[in-house]
Amino acid sequence: MIYFDNAATTKPCKEALEAALSCAENCFGNPSSLHHMGVKAEEIITSAKKTVLKRLNKEGEIFFTSGATESNNIAIFGTANALKRRGNRIITTAIEHPSVGEPMKRLSEQGFEVISLKPCDFEDFEQAVIDAADEKTILASVMAVNNETGFVINTKKVYDGIKKKNPNCVVHVDGVQGFCKLPLYGDTVSLSGHKIHALKGIGALYKSKNTRLLPIAYGGGQQSGLRSGTEPVELTASLKAAVEAYPEAVTKFSELRHRLSGHLERLDRIIINSPENGIDNILNFSVIGVRSEIMLHFLEERGIYVSSGSACSKGKISPVLSALGISRERADSAVRVSFCRDNTEADVDMLAQALEDGIKRFRR
Ligand code: PMP
């Protein structure tokens, strides 16, 4: 099996599995309990928070969540509710994951002025985001890396530019596809364990010390009241282990991407949808004349797993792809390949051969 769908999810690494199992067996106490078992569990959570903060290279607080969907919701609604008396303008992008896009729709329905910018409309997208923020803007929410094409937004430039114009505007970064791969700058940053070889069901929200968020759910007051509910100690242990096992830099990604690009250049009527300066571990391309699902299942028959995530749904091009300037024809035949550190050059060669065979068989 060759797994090239790592932007969707990754295989849990050995370290994450062992950490979760050992924690479940030996440290299953409730972190809020006052006895020794509780203290041991609490220590695991505290230490996992330190590991995540260190990897983010930040000071501030970490809140563990069920995943980035929850982290994004807490950051967005938490900021809007905390700051609604100060202003009602919010800046975001048209290429966000639904876990940002859908909360933005709800806020718009509630009367917030939500400005959603499309990268295809601007030469310098970061500058466009900065320009859109004014003194009434309470929140700017941008993703660090787009999950469909690997389009990168320079969060340092956005953060610095917005803070210079309006220091009170909260900058939220959906860092899911960038965590452990790129530096992430934001007052709040969300991340997800299952994209970096931890187990599913664990995510985190980073919050800088001076950022105020209101909770979106109420309960036992765990995690400073921002995220009530018994912390999933086993899952936090898996996240800590996965972060520690994730190399500082994976040079392999650019080698794999380069090799795949070379193969694709030799094939006819392939269009690369990922930007040249996109993240190295995601390559999205269109095999013109072969529909995405047809190619996906053909590759699957050979044990190769990719994504057609970008394909049109219900006859309509995904708004994310159209905001990235990708045409209907290209979207229809888009294939997303996303690498992890276990993929090899031989895997890439197998994929290229299978693509060539698929084209011979199915191209109209
Ligand atoms: N944001 C981005 C950019 C993503 O790729 C994903 C997962 N596809 C999410 C948010 C949601 O993460 P989770 O699955 O942890 O809820």
Side-chain angles (χ1 to χ4, degrees):
M1 192 254 283
I2 299 176
Y3 186 76
F4 280 138
D5 199 11
N6 292 285
T9 198
T10 55
K11 181 180 177 184
C13 62
K14 191 167 61 52
E15 292 85 348
L17 289 172
E18 283 172 5
L21 186 62
S22 154
C23 180
E25 279 175 347
N26 305 311
C27 303
F28 57 85
N30 186 320
S32 298
S33 294
L34 296 179
H35 50 67
H36 179 62
M37 289 294 283
V39 173
K40 257 172 76 178
E42 171 80 51
E43 278 169 7
I44 290 180
I45 290 167
T46 307
S47 141
K49 288 186 174 178
K50 273 196 195 138
T51 301
V52 174
L53 268 182
K54 189 166 160 227
R55 193 57 181 246
L56 284 168
N57 196 17
K58 294 198 184 310
E59 285 170 14
E61 294 167 89
I62 295 292
F63 299 87
F64 287 125
T65 63
S66 58
T69 297
E70 187 186 351
S71 304
N72 284 332
N73 273 266
I74 294 175
I76 292 166
F77 289 116
T79 300
N81 289 335
L83 300 185
K84 62 184 169 202
R85 283 203 195 86
R86 249 199 233 151
N88 82 332
R89 188 175 160 97
I90 295 174
I91 312 297
T92 190
T93 83
I95 60 166
E96 299 297 314
H97 185 267
S99 57
V100 170
E102 291 299 316
M104 289 298 175
K105 276 190 205 157
R106 298 292 94 73
L107 288 178
S108 175
E109 285 160 13
Q110 288 170 24
F112 286 90
E113 182 195 7
V114 178
I115 313 289
S116 178
L117 302 170
K118 297 180 185 175
C120 63
D121 290 341
F122 303 96
E123 283 268 300
D124 181 341
F125 190 57
E126 287 84 356
Q127 192 55 48
V129 175
I130 298 164
D131 291 344
D134 63 11
E135 71 284 352
K136 283 212 315 256
T137 306
I138 53 166
L139 169 66
S141 180
V142 297
M143 70 192 335
V145 177
N146 178 264
N147 44 302
E148 295 193 11
T149 67
F151 179 89
V152 172
I153 296 177
N154 180 338
T155 55
K156 177 167 175 30
K157 183 169 172 185
V158 170
Y159 183 80
D160 289 348
I162 287 183
K163 289 290 165 178
K164 213 164 145 195
K165 274 181 96 174
N166 176 357
N168 295 322
C169 173
V170 171
V171 177
H172 171 60
V173 168
D174 174 349
V176 169
Q177 300 287 350
F179 180 54
C180 289
K181 301 182 180 88
L182 291 175
L184 300 168
Y185 293 83
D187 297 304
T188 53
V189 177
S190 45
L191 57 98
S192 178
H194 71 97
K195 311 285 183 179
I196 58 147
H197 306 279
L199 291 172
K200 294 172 188 64
I202 180 76
L205 179 66
Y206 160 78
K207 183 180 88 58
S208 74
K209 244 197 180 111
N210 296 327
T211 304
R212 204 166 75 84
L213 298 177
L214 288 182
I216 59 170
Y218 293 84
Q222 291 91 339
Q223 304 200 71
S224 313
L226 185 60
R227 206 284 190 172
S228 281
T230 304
E231 298 92 331
V233 193
E234 300 85 351
L235 298 177
T236 63
S238 90
L239 178 61
K240 175 181 159 70
V243 170
E244 284 169 352
Y246 207 100
E248 280 300 329
V250 186
T251 46
K252 200 186 208 183
F253 290 152
S254 73
E255 288 160 21
L256 295 174
R257 181 193 178 96
H258 190 71
R259 194 169 183 95
L260 180 55
S261 303
H263 284 306
L264 295 177
E265 266 171 33
R266 284 189 285 279
L267 297 175
D268 213 22
R269 286 163 67 210
I270 301 253
I271 302 175
I272 306 289
N273 298 318
S274 294
E276 231 164 79
N277 56 357
I279 199 148
D280 282 333
N281 61 304
I282 299 180
L283 192 65
N284 185 313
F285 52 90
S286 294
V287 182
I288 302 298
V290 184
R291 285 179 62 86
S292 305
E293 304 86 77
I294 304 279
M295 186 57 92
L296 180 142
H297 291 304
F298 175 75
L299 295 174
E300 185 184 7
E301 277 171 23
R302 301 199 166 190
I304 302 174
Y305 294 88
V306 299
S307 165
S308 68
S310 327
C312 306
S313 74
K314 294 180 195 133
K316 272 175 81 184
I317 175 170
S318 110
V320 168
L321 286 191
S322 108
L324 287 164
I326 293 168
S327 69
R328 168 79 202 267
E329 189 195 18
R330 278 160 67 185
D332 257 346
S333 56
V335 172
R336 180 189 70 184
V337 171
S338 47
F339 303 120
C340 76
R341 58 181 185 259
D342 301 329
N343 293 134
T344 64
E345 297 205 333
D347 293 346
V348 169
D349 296 346
M350 297 261 280
L351 169 65
Q353 184 58 56
L355 283 167
E356 194 174 344
D357 295 345
I359 290 170
K360 276 194 200 128
R361 184 142 146 210
F362 296 112
R363 184 172 265 162
R364 284 176 273 113

